[in-house]
Amino acid sequence: MLGAIDGLTERKFLAIGNSIEQAVAVLARLAATFEALVAAMQSDAVIKAQQSLALATAEAATRADAPANQAAALERLAQVTNAINVRITAMRQIARHVDILAINARLMSAGMGEAGDDFLGFAAEIRRSAKLAQDTLEQIGQELTNAGKQLAVARAGVLAFAERHGDALRTIPQRLSAAVETFRDREQLAAAAAATVAARTADIHQQVSGMIVALQLGDITRQRIEHMQEVAAALLQLASPASLAQSEWRTLSPGTIATLLQAGCKLAAAQLRDTASELDREAGRVADGLSQLAADAQDIGGLGDQAYGAADQHHRGFMAELEENLRATEALFGGLRTAREETERHVADVLTIAQRLTGNIDTLRGLEADIRIMGLNTTLKCGRLGVIGRPLSVIAQELRDCGSRTAGHADAALVDLKLLAELAGTLGASEEMTGPRGGTEMPPGMTAMDGRATHGAAVATSTLVARRIEQLATTRGHFGDDLLGAVDLLGSTGRSLSDALAGLDADSAAASLLLQAAARDFSVRQDLGEVLNSTAEDLSRIAADQAPQATTDTTSVERLLGRFAAIYTMARERDVHARSGGSRVQAPSPLAESDLADMLF
């Protein structure tokens, strides 16, 4: 019988161990989930989402009138573009006048004989420069026309958007402020409830983890049964004449053998009864604890919904509701972002045109310098020719004046282009526009030589325009990203929260079922107890049957019981041994047990 229940003990306690182990894993997952939820509420992502919402709210307040402000800014850009066009028109007239002067210089040079040969070359160079200037100015004019069209299209688009969505845009700040307040309120509520739930989960987990010690009860029971199986084998050897004849006890008298059987059976019966009693007491205590913990575990899923759930309580996190509300607001913000990106595309095209114009105006400055130098050389040569050179000297002075006026207009155009770049770059950065409403006025009396005080102006303007283009490309698409980032962060966290709530419900139910199963399996103590007590009764009857033949041979009895004592590995077995007539058995020294544990484990 003991052999049969030895296998039952191992199977049942293995099943109990598996159930508790799985429950511990599930409860650990529950605790980790709650810890993750608390961490998520305090995570960098959620903090960043709150900060993004706050920034988006502040940004929205400045964007309510963005379309109107953009339209005004684009109007200013158009005014600066028109001012540059006025200067280009003036330079065209100067270039045509230079061409006429070159023709007159050629005619006069032709009538001067050999003295006019050098001037013919000057006249040809001047006319070539004038023609290049006219071509460059024509190209600049076309570029300015294109820029004007781009600005007109952009302004029309901005005004159309303002007409359709202006009123709705002004409601965005209020919507976002409400969302921020809602989030803060729910965050405080959820954090407080989550702390309570997390503490409760941790307590259940700790208690269940502590009950794993109960698995030692199965190992103790199995070992004690195995020990009694060894005792039973020794007793069977004494009871069997054939086995006795081959044993060390063969020389003992029948009365002494009966005495040994009586003492051995009484001892074995006492050990089995104690094993059954200890098993029933400890297993019952653990089973009751597991049943209570199973009920507690079942409640955790509901507590999670209370802490984090949405109003509909369908395992949705409150962040999912918040995300839905913000998505609707972000869609409106997205329309404004799209409109702004379209405006930026036109502004970028205008900046690209401005960059090309800077190079073209630099070319004009080079041509102006050539014309001015040739005019100066012509003046000097005419002075050496005396009276015959005076007509050409007048033309040379006219050329120098044309060069100076061209330089003045070119310098002013560069200043206007710089202003255009600053205004366009500022518009790309979505900041309020500042600056003059028109072009740059040329100071009275400004000449080409005065313009040299702005040495490197073309290079500086070109660098500024390039920087504005790069800045616009870098900032493009960031408008409204604070809100979009907050929505995405809350959406991701909200989906994780919803998944966690569903997982909490499933895990709490699973943990409860596992703990209930473990509690039910402890009913094996009843089956084991019946077998152990029944076997003990049988042994007691055998001991009683041996009483009539028993002797007072205590030496042999002590020798037999000493053999049994050597089998024990537990203090409780040694105590029962002493109470049942055996000698007090000295427990192994702690050092020996420690050394053995080191070797085995």
Side-chain angles (χ1 to χ4, degrees):
M1 293 179 67
L2 292 180
I5 65 170
D6 186 27
L8 176 63
T9 302
E10 186 171 358
R11 290 194 304 273
K12 280 295 184 179
F13 276 92
L14 180 60
I16 292 170
N18 287 336
S19 295
I20 293 180
E21 182 180 12
Q22 292 178 53
V24 167
V26 173
L27 286 168
R29 190 162 64 238
L30 281 172
T33 299
F34 272 108
E35 289 176 3
L37 289 174
V38 173
M41 294 297 293
Q42 302 169 352
S43 67
D44 292 341
V46 172
I47 292 173
K48 185 177 180 181
Q50 289 180 286
Q51 293 172 343
S52 296
L53 274 177
L55 291 173
T57 303
E59 183 183 27
T62 66
R63 298 298 178 189
D65 297 321
N69 293 336
Q70 285 185 351
L74 289 168
E75 176 63 23
R76 295 184 205 178
L77 285 174
Q79 291 171 357
V80 174
T81 302
N82 290 335
I84 296 173
N85 209 3
V86 169
R87 301 194 186 283
I88 296 304
T89 299
M91 284 189 280
R92 281 178 178 172
Q93 293 175 349
I94 295 173
R96 286 194 292 270
H97 185 55
V98 169
D99 191 29
I100 293 172
L101 290 176
I103 293 174
N104 291 338
R106 183 176 181 181
L107 293 175
M108 289 183 182
S109 299
M112 293 173 62
E114 292 183 2
D117 289 343
D118 290 339
F119 293 107
L120 287 175
F122 282 133
E125 275 300 312
I126 290 171
R127 191 169 189 192
R128 184 189 66 79
S129 296
K131 183 65 171 64
L132 288 175
Q134 290 179 47
D135 292 343
T136 301
L137 289 167
E138 180 65 26
Q139 184 178 357
I140 292 174
Q142 293 175 359
E143 295 277 25
L144 288 172
T145 299
N146 187 19
K149 291 179 180 179
Q150 293 276 6
L151 293 172
V153 171
R155 187 168 183 271
V158 168
L159 291 175
F161 182 85
E163 180 69 21
R164 292 193 303 270
H165 303 294
D167 292 339
L169 284 175
R170 281 184 280 275
T171 68
I172 290 180
Q174 291 79 12
R175 294 185 187 183
L176 293 180
S177 295
V180 170
E181 290 303 316
T182 298
F183 187 89
R184 288 174 180 170
D185 292 343
R186 287 306 305 266
E187 179 188 29
Q188 293 175 359
L189 175 64
T196 301
V197 173
R200 186 171 178 181
T201 306
D203 181 60
I204 295 174
H205 176 264
Q206 183 177 5
Q207 291 185 55
V208 173
S209 297
M211 288 182 182
I212 293 180
V213 177
L215 296 180
Q216 296 178 2
L217 181 60
D219 189 52
I220 290 171
T221 302
R222 179 185 58 77
Q223 288 187 53
R224 294 189 70 175
I225 291 174
E226 289 176 352
H227 296 166
M228 289 306 99
Q229 286 177 309
E230 292 186 49
V231 170
L235 294 175
L236 284 174
Q237 187 182 50
L238 291 173
S240 171
S243 298
L244 180 61
Q246 302 296 323
S247 71
E248 61 182 295
W249 311 101
R250 61 182 177 275
T251 60
L252 298 179
S253 66
T256 301
I257 295 299
T259 302
L260 294 179
L261 285 171
Q262 181 188 40
C265 288
K266 286 174 63 177
L267 176 62
Q271 292 282 11
L272 291 174
R273 288 192 182 95
D274 186 76
T275 300
S277 176
E278 183 184 23
L279 174 62
D280 185 67
R281 182 179 61 257
E282 293 299 320
R285 181 183 62 80
V286 173
D288 291 343
L290 288 173
S291 296
Q292 181 58 51
L293 292 179
D296 293 341
Q298 183 66 54
D299 294 338
I300 292 179
L303 293 173
D305 274 330
Q306 293 175 22
Y308 295 98
D312 56 21
Q313 290 299 320
H314 292 307
H315 301 308
R316 287 203 318 152
F318 72 90
M319 288 188 196
E321 287 182 324
L322 185 61
E323 181 197 6
E324 288 179 3
N325 295 334
L326 291 179
R327 287 284 180 194
T329 303
E330 197 279 328
L332 185 59
F333 226 165
L336 182 59
R337 183 169 56 249
T338 300
R340 180 207 167 192
E341 289 173 352
E342 182 66 15
T343 299
E344 288 178 345
R345 185 178 64 80
H346 291 297
V347 170
D349 290 341
V350 171
L351 281 172
T352 301
I353 291 172
Q355 191 173 37
R356 291 198 295 267
L357 289 180
T358 301
N360 290 336
I361 291 177
D362 195 37
T363 299
L364 284 177
R365 290 169 61 87
L367 293 173
E368 166 272 322
D370 291 343
I371 292 172
R372 185 168 49 81
I373 291 172
M374 285 186 287
L376 179 61
N377 290 337
T378 300
T379 298
L380 294 175
K381 286 196 175 187
C382 287
R384 290 195 294 269
L385 291 176
V387 176
I388 193 174
R390 285 179 182 175
L392 280 177
S393 179
V394 173
I395 292 175
Q397 182 59 44
E398 282 288 325
L399 286 173
R400 292 171 63 190
D401 290 342
C402 288
S404 295
R405 283 187 289 135
T406 298
H409 285 301
D411 288 340
L414 283 175
V415 174
D416 285 340
L417 283 173
K418 181 178 180 181
L419 175 61
L420 182 71
E422 290 173 346
L423 293 176
T426 304
L427 181 65
S430 299
E431 297 172 357
E432 187 174 355
M433 303 282 282
T434 58
R437 299 186 62 83
T440 304
E441 295 294 331
M442 175 70 71
M446 181 176 180
T447 65
M449 293 303 292
D450 297 327
R452 299 290 74 76
T454 58
H455 178 67
V459 175
T461 301
S462 179
T463 301
L464 175 62
V465 172
R467 188 163 60 247
R468 293 304 189 203
I469 292 175
E470 181 181 0
Q471 178 190 56
L472 190 60
T474 302
T475 59
R476 181 174 296 171
H478 294 317
F479 174 67
D481 279 0
D482 287 322
L483 177 58
L484 183 59
V487 171
D488 288 340
L489 287 170
L490 290 179
S492 175
T493 305
R495 285 187 293 274
S496 298
L497 178 59
S498 297
D499 292 342
L501 290 176
L504 284 175
D505 210 43
D507 283 346
S508 62
S512 179
L513 290 174
L514 287 166
L515 293 172
Q516 291 173 27
R520 284 194 305 271
D521 282 339
F522 267 110
S523 64
V524 71
R525 71 183 189 275
Q526 298 169 357
D527 298 332
L528 294 176
E530 288 179 4
V531 174
L532 292 172
N533 286 319
S534 176
T535 304
E537 288 298 323
D538 292 340
L539 289 171
S540 294
R541 283 194 297 271
I542 294 173
D545 292 341
Q546 301 300 317
Q549 305 176 52
T551 67
T552 58
D553 186 356
T554 57
T555 302
S556 296
V557 171
E558 289 178 359
R559 179 182 169 195
L560 176 65
L561 297 185
R563 296 285 182 87
F564 294 165
I567 300 172
Y568 305 147
T569 57
M570 287 164 275
R572 191 172 184 86
E573 290 178 303
R574 290 188 283 270
D575 290 340
V576 173
H577 181 89
R579 292 198 306 267
S580 301
S583 301
R584 175 66 60 177
V585 181
Q586 186 67 33
S589 68
L591 180 59
E593 289 185 346
S594 175
D595 292 342
L596 183 61
D598 290 341
M599 288 186 290
L600 295 178
F601 304 106

